[in-house]
Amino acid sequence: MHITGQNGKYPISQEIEKQMHKIVSAIFLAENIKKIEIEAPRIAKKRKAGQFVMIRVDETGERVPLTIADADPEKGTITIIVQGMGKSTKELNTKEAGDTISDIVGPLGAPSHIEKFGTAVSIGGGVGSAIAYPTAVALKEAGNYVITINGARSKDLVILEREMKAVSDEAYITTDDGSYGFHGFVTQKLQELIDSGKRIDFVLAIGPIPMMKAIAEVTRPYNIKTMVSLNPIMVDGTGMCGGCRVTVNNEIKFACVDGPEFDAHQVDFKNLTDRNKVYLSEEKQSAEAFAHKCNLQ
Amino acid sequence: MCPQHITTKERFAIPRQEMPAQSPDVRNKNFKEVNLGYTPELAQKEALRCIQCKDPACIKGCPVNIKIDQFIKLIADGNFLGAAKKIKEDNVLPAICGRVCPQEDQCEKLCILTKKHTSVAIGNLERFAADYERETGNVELPTVKASTGKKIAVIGSGPAGLSCANDLIQLGHSVTVFEALHELGGVLVYGIPEFRLPKEIVKQEIEGLKKLGVKFIPNAVAGRSVTVDELLKEEGFDAVFIGVGAGLPWFLGIPGENLIGVYSANEFLTRVNLMKSYQFPNNDTPVFNCKGKNVAVFGGGNTAMDAVRTAKRLGAEHAYIVYRRSETEMPARLEEVHHAKEEGIEFLMLMNPLEFVGNEQQWLTGAKCLKMELGEPDDSGRRRPIPIKDSEFILPIDMAVISIGNGSNPLIKQTTPDIEVSKRDTIVVDLNTMATSKEDVYAGGDIVTGGATVILAMGAGRTAAKAIHDKLMGIETQE
Ligand SMILES: Cc1cc2nc3c(=O)[nH]c(=O)nc-3n(C[C@H](O)[C@H](O)[C@H](O)COP(=O)(O)OP(=O)(O)OC[C@H]3O[C@@H](n4cnc5c(N)ncnc54)[C@H](O)[C@@H]3O)c2cc1C
Ligand SMILES: Cc1cc2nc3c(=O)[nH]c(=O)nc-3n(C[C@H](O)[C@H](O)[C@H](O)COP(=O)(O)OP(=O)(O)OC[C@H]3O[C@@H](n4cnc5c(N)ncnc54)[C@H](O)[C@@H]3O)c2cc1C
Ligand code: SF4
Ligand code: SF4
Ligand code: FES
């Protein structure tokens, strides 16, 4: 190519051409929880279980970390499962097939450590089931006897039941209100399995922080290797800002590069819980403004 | 005064022309650029101060050896576009360097006038020429040589990557830049604040590169999205330049550093600059609400100055710099320190943080500090601070920003183990060519030197571009 720009003027603020990412399909799995399949060929090819992407919906959006629930390298798409929590995730959940989003970067984070442990229990609470799913698949592929415990508040919030069953040697559903499956918490189901004398070699637990903390306490007395996927607030997701730092074994770790999965018995859950509260009032402000905007439309 | 007939005496009589700036108590509440730039009149007057040395010392102080005497002469003659062109022979980002170079330690330090008067304002003039060219819409795209058919991947779009891409594309190679973030420009966009370097300028420089044919792929993290080996083996690149900067924030390693309200400078500046949280809630990313709060920035470099001035602009009641040595040892540029003071930043020198303390809810409430005094000079020639006994006290603060430097991001090292790195995790290169220990892989900028300067990173990018070109074309002639 030859360019001999004669007095080539620079137009002010011409946007850098960006590849927008098209949404291929978007369906609600439960109230407020949406499964979104997006074009992202490079990521689809590279991703491994346990990794995540950061998504920025549009030019003024924040960078939101979301686990890659599934990928189709041939089609060049990845799937994310999003729970509407605040402004960004709710806005993402308004997107339909055919819409585009501005930025996706990934795959980020260290892949899950997968080996043949023997019997592996994968526990997901709420949208955590979506995050646990790809790792459950990888554990199965590695030859483990896989038990899944899929917990939700009530029947209509249970997600990925069919998918979980397909990768499990034993699959359990728990609901807090007893409207489906085992009546109780995932921790109780796990304790029941342990009490039944079943040998458990590995536990992966992903869900709300109190749930992960509780699981850690269940397995600690038995010395069962237990991993949890932490969800600190992130900005870049590449190890550049340190905002996602968590305390593991009394050391600072950056969850976006060293994690997000860590040994549950070494994690300082209290510090994570506290740090995640830093923007509570701003999050509320954003959510209210967004709700207002939606009502107007 | 006619430039041809001005006498030496008249020249010496002209004082250094001050850079017009927004007044301090206005600018410390907005994010607009502090310095307003020379007018053509001011620029010409300043240019006349240069005595056009036979053997200009100033040039030796410039890491890319801009022909300073020549471009200043062109400004004095009123040929501003000619001046811009002259600068661009050696520096592809003059509007940026004119703003952020530590001139007083480089070109201006060696200017002959420094001995008797004050140096010629070389940086201000460089900025003027570049701004004039851009603002009058007269930027000429350079000629691109016929295609060589060679493909080069540049990782990172900071000054090192951009200057490397610029030289390579002009030599006729195909260049693709991979950038981890969604915006291009590296520290120029995520670190250095708008009030010092308007992002529009960076954007336009990058626009220029795009027009020359450089392909940019944002949201691509080397090591994760694609590895160096994949670029070389699967994607058909003939060479790779790594310019990923020094992007791993260091913390102090003292108790309480994980309290709510303790930030790294990178996080604080990234939220504000890159994610534009100063426009929250119009932009979704929040940042600590500094309004009426006390903020302390720990450190004494440019980054610390940027962070503390940013906190002030976000409404901080008290914005402190806490530094363990004295002001003379502070690595920040003089102009920045001066600007910061004008804006009401409070400098707490010879003070070392020992611990952060917080309330029940784990929000930061203060920093326990120890007062220091200066002892004997250490290896770096700076006088070493030593603690004063029983001088501990608690500085009440709501937010702390740690700004004590950056290490290297481990991603490339982890995924490309055959690139040799130093003990500090910087990439080891041959400084003449910027070649790494891995065949066809080059590196430059902060990833090689550790945190340094824009102009050094640019220089490294150019050295690498030349070496890559020589190597690729050399191979071709042998075939
Ligand atoms: C590695 C990782 C993987 C994740 N995977 C999924 C997933 O697959 N599906 C899913 O629904 N959610 C996932 N999350 C959580 C999701 O990122 C947050 O729910 C989302 O960022 C909230 O943004 P918001 O604006 O909607 O809500 P906000 O109103 O901003 O916040 C709601 C809650 O989310 C947390 N949060 C806010 N901003 C961030 C941020 N930038 N990063 C992390 N947490 C934040 C806050 O602590 C707050 O409690 C993951 C988080 C991490 C760190
Ligand atoms: C706040 C601040 C203020 C400063 N002020 C000044 C000043 O006034 N004057 C001055 O001369 N210098 C200043 N500096 C230093 C100067 O900015 C740096 O020396 C310079 O930017 C280094 O350039 P670089 O190209 O090596 O790296 P960077 O500018 O750091 O750019 C590296 C780029 O690579 C990207 N990247 C990183 N990892 C990957 C990956 N794995 N894959 C793809 N992309 C990746 C990053 O996102 C980034 O965009 C300042 C620095 C900071 C932080
Ligand atoms: S690039 Fe920097 S050092 Fe060189 S002349 Fe310009 S201001 Fe001076
Ligand atoms: S050293 Fe100073 S006076 Fe001499 S040419 Fe350079 S800028 Fe001009
Ligand atoms: S999100 Fe910035 S370092 Fe992890």
Side-chain angles (χ1 to χ4, degrees), chain B residues 207-423:
Chain B
E207 243 348 281
L209 290 181
K210 277 201 66 194
K211 285 200 189 139
L212 291 179
V214 177
K215 194 170 160 214
F216 287 97
I217 307 187
N219 295 321
V221 185
R224 291 275 195 236
S225 316
V226 63
T227 63
V228 172
D229 284 312
E230 285 163 353
L231 289 172
L232 288 169
K233 294 195 187 111
E234 291 168 27
E235 304 213 11
F237 287 98
D238 299 292
V240 174
F241 174 77
I242 301 174
V244 294
L248 178 90
W250 281 328
F251 287 90
L252 290 161
I254 60 176
E257 220 163 6
N258 282 352
L259 288 165
I260 304 176
V262 184
Y263 284 76
S264 73
N266 279 7
E267 180 184 1
F268 181 53
L269 291 170
T270 300
R271 283 181 178 273
V272 180
N273 296 323
L274 180 73
M275 305 311 294
K276 307 219 164 17
S277 58
Y278 63 94
Q279 293 168 342
F280 181 85
N282 292 332
N283 277 272
D284 291 342
T285 308
V287 70
F288 194 88
N289 186 351
C290 297
K291 270 203 192 80
K293 304 280 176 56
N294 295 338
V295 178
V297 175
F298 296 83
N302 284 321
T303 310
M305 295 306 136
D306 284 344
V308 78
R309 295 170 71 195
T310 298
K312 187 81 196 172
R313 281 163 172 74
L314 292 172
E317 165 91 24
H318 291 284
Y320 306 108
I321 283 284
V322 180
Y323 186 53
R324 43 196 287 271
R325 302 180 191 243
S326 78
E327 214 179 299
T328 37
E329 281 87 26
M330 272 198 327
R333 290 188 53 202
L334 279 180
E335 184 185 21
E336 306 314 325
V337 175
H338 173 71
H339 274 158
K341 283 190 173 159
E342 283 184 343
E343 288 167 11
I345 305 302
E346 295 157 68
F347 284 67
L348 306 179
M349 296 294 105
L350 289 162
M351 220 171 262
N352 202 21
L354 298 176
E355 179 181 350
F356 291 110
V357 290
N359 64 16
E360 287 264 293
Q361 288 75 43
Q362 301 299 300
W363 288 72
L364 178 72
T365 56
K368 191 191 271 178
C369 298
L370 188 66
K371 291 188 182 150
M372 315 288 278
E373 62 191 352
L374 286 181
E376 295 301 307
D378 64 10
D379 297 343
S380 69
R382 301 191 296 183
R383 290 179 64 193
R384 210 157 54 94
I386 40 182
I388 301 174
K389 241 186 149 175
D390 300 326
S391 64
E392 280 174 34
F393 74 106
I394 291 194
L395 177 70
I397 48 171
D398 310 285
M399 179 189 183
V401 180
I402 316 296
S403 180
I404 54 166
N406 286 305
S408 311
N409 189 305
L411 273 183
I412 300 266
K413 177 182 119 168
Q414 284 168 3
T415 52
T416 321
D418 48 342
I419 295 178
E420 190 191 340
V421 295
S422 74
K423 266 192 250 135

Side-chain angles (χ1 to χ4, degrees), chain A residues 3 8-11 13-14 17 42 46 60 62-63 87 103 106-107 238 240-241 243 245 247 274 279, chain B residues 137 139 182 200 207 210-211 219 225 230 235 247 249 257-258 260 262-264 266-267 271 284 362 409:
Chain A
I3 298 181
K9 288 190 182 174
Y10 286 27
S13 243
Q14 189 186 307
E17 224 175 277
R42 234 180 231 284
K46 289 287 291 192
T60 56
E62 64 183 331
R63 295 167 62 98
K87 149 113 213 262
D103 300 278
T238 66
M240 182 269 280
C241 78
R245 63 192 187 278
T247 312
D274 291 333
Y279 302 114
Chain B
V139 177
H182 58 267
E200 186 59 41
E207 243 348 281
K210 277 201 66 194
K211 285 200 189 139
N219 295 321
S225 316
E230 285 163 353
E235 304 213 11
E257 220 163 6
N258 282 352
I260 304 176
V262 184
Y263 284 76
S264 73
N266 279 7
E267 180 184 1
R271 283 181 178 273
D284 291 342
Q362 301 299 300
N409 189 305

